[in-house]
Amino acid sequence: MASVSANFVCSRTSVRLPNQLWQMITSKSLRLATVGWGRTPGFPRLSSSRFQISCAAKKETVDKVCEIVRKQLALPADKEITPQTTFTDLGADSLDTVEIVMGLEEEFDITVQEDNQDNISCIQEAADLIEQLVANKS
Amino acid sequence: MATKPTRREVLSLFRSLMRTAREFTDYNIREYTKRRTVDAFRHNRKLSDPAEVAAAFADGKSQLGVAKRQAVVYSLYAPSIKSVMEM
């Protein structure tokens, strides 16, 4: 079993990863998906629906969520937003949170249920929930 | 009189109003509904007297009823072309 980054495709034959590349893969916090070498017919599947090691949501989703949060809360451009920032950290109250969720619903064309809504406290969780709902919908 | 609504109920009302706003076919009314609910809820955020809170909540619920009915009526006469703001 080998870990590959989202942008990097290994052929089925055994390839020794150059040291540099290996460091790049392990040092950055990229989305990693484990790939079974022997199963698929020569082409490793990069879907993250099986194992999710580190962050489960795609980077684009997290970025879009950050964008919407930023716009909603009118944050200055230099304010740092990481996936772990909670909404209360950014000065949002519960009304703001509902508005943010509404914005997300509109952007991703999903419907968030009441009980799911209460669990969302940080950006990562929002992105995960969005991914899950989008996957369920399709 | 009505008892003080819980936090969940208030947020639920807010969410219902926003969802109903989305159903309007007219861009202007949609934006107005969203703007008005946000403004009204923020304005009443600091209310502490239970009677006042209950009154505001009841008012919000009746407005929700109005919005829902109007959304249905407006959808019967939906414009065929999109507003320029939506493009």
Side-chain angles (χ1 to χ4, degrees):
Chain A
M1 291 235 284
S3 307
V4 297
S5 76
N7 300 325
F8 183 72
V9 176
C10 281
S11 68
R12 197 176 163 213
T13 57
S14 61
V15 169
R16 281 201 46 224
L17 298 176
N19 204 15
Q20 241 180 337
L21 206 51
W22 181 245
Q23 278 175 358
M24 176 187 92
I25 290 175
T26 50
S27 63
K28 285 195 190 167
S29 59
L30 294 174
R31 174 177 72 98
L32 300 177
T34 56
V35 176
W37 285 106
R39 308 264 176 248
T40 56
F43 190 85
R45 276 177 43 216
L46 295 174
S47 68
S48 62
S49 60
R50 287 198 200 164
F51 288 109
Q52 279 128 15
I53 296 187
S54 53
C55 34
K58 289 201 274 281
K59 183 138 194 330
E60 309 95 60
T61 315
V62 175
D63 284 342
K64 275 195 196 171
V65 174
C66 286
E67 188 58 42
I68 290 179
V69 170
R70 215 180 265 275
K71 198 170 59 168
Q72 175 64 40
L73 300 175
L75 298 170
D78 53 355
K79 176 97 177 159
E80 179 81 19
I81 300 189
T82 72
Q84 265 65 43
T85 340
T86 65
F87 295 131
T88 41
D89 282 345
L90 301 167
D93 62 351
S94 49
L95 286 181
D96 283 319
T97 311
V98 177
E99 274 184 71
I100 289 172
V101 173
M102 285 283 131
L104 295 174
E105 279 190 16
E106 233 167 285
E107 171 77 24
F108 293 98
D109 196 21
I110 51 176
T111 314
V112 179
Q113 302 302 327
E114 281 261 359
D115 33 3
N116 284 344
Q117 152 98 28
D118 290 336
N119 295 338
I120 301 180
S121 55
C122 71
I123 294 184
Q124 186 60 50
E125 284 180 20
D128 291 344
L129 183 62
I130 290 169
E131 294 267 313
Q132 190 188 340
L133 289 171
V134 168
N136 287 348
K137 204 179 63 153
S138 54
Chain B
M1 287 296 290
T3 55
K4 183 172 168 173
T6 65
R7 187 187 197 77
R8 273 186 78 99
E9 286 178 13
V10 170
L11 290 179
S12 177
L13 178 65
F14 185 67
R15 204 186 346 261
S16 310
L17 277 163
M18 296 293 261
R19 291 234 165 104
T20 310
R22 277 206 291 226
E23 292 166 20
F24 277 102
T25 42
D26 187 335
Y27 168 82
N28 291 318
I29 301 180
R30 195 162 55 231
E31 290 299 307
Y32 169 75
T33 311
K34 285 197 252 183
R35 213 166 45 230
R36 184 75 182 89
T37 57
V38 168
D39 286 348
F41 274 81
R42 280 199 198 285
H43 186 256
N44 292 335
R45 205 163 58 147
K46 302 273 189 326
L47 288 181
S48 48
D49 181 24
E52 281 183 29
V53 173
F57 186 72
D59 188 33
K61 278 195 103 89
S62 64
Q63 291 300 315
L64 175 64
V66 169
K68 279 190 170 171
R69 290 190 290 274
Q70 288 306 312
V72 174
V73 170
Y74 268 91
S75 67
L76 297 173
Y77 300 101
S80 47
I81 41 176
K82 284 201 294 189
S83 156
V84 68
M85 301 293 292
E86 293 174 338
M87 297 189 182

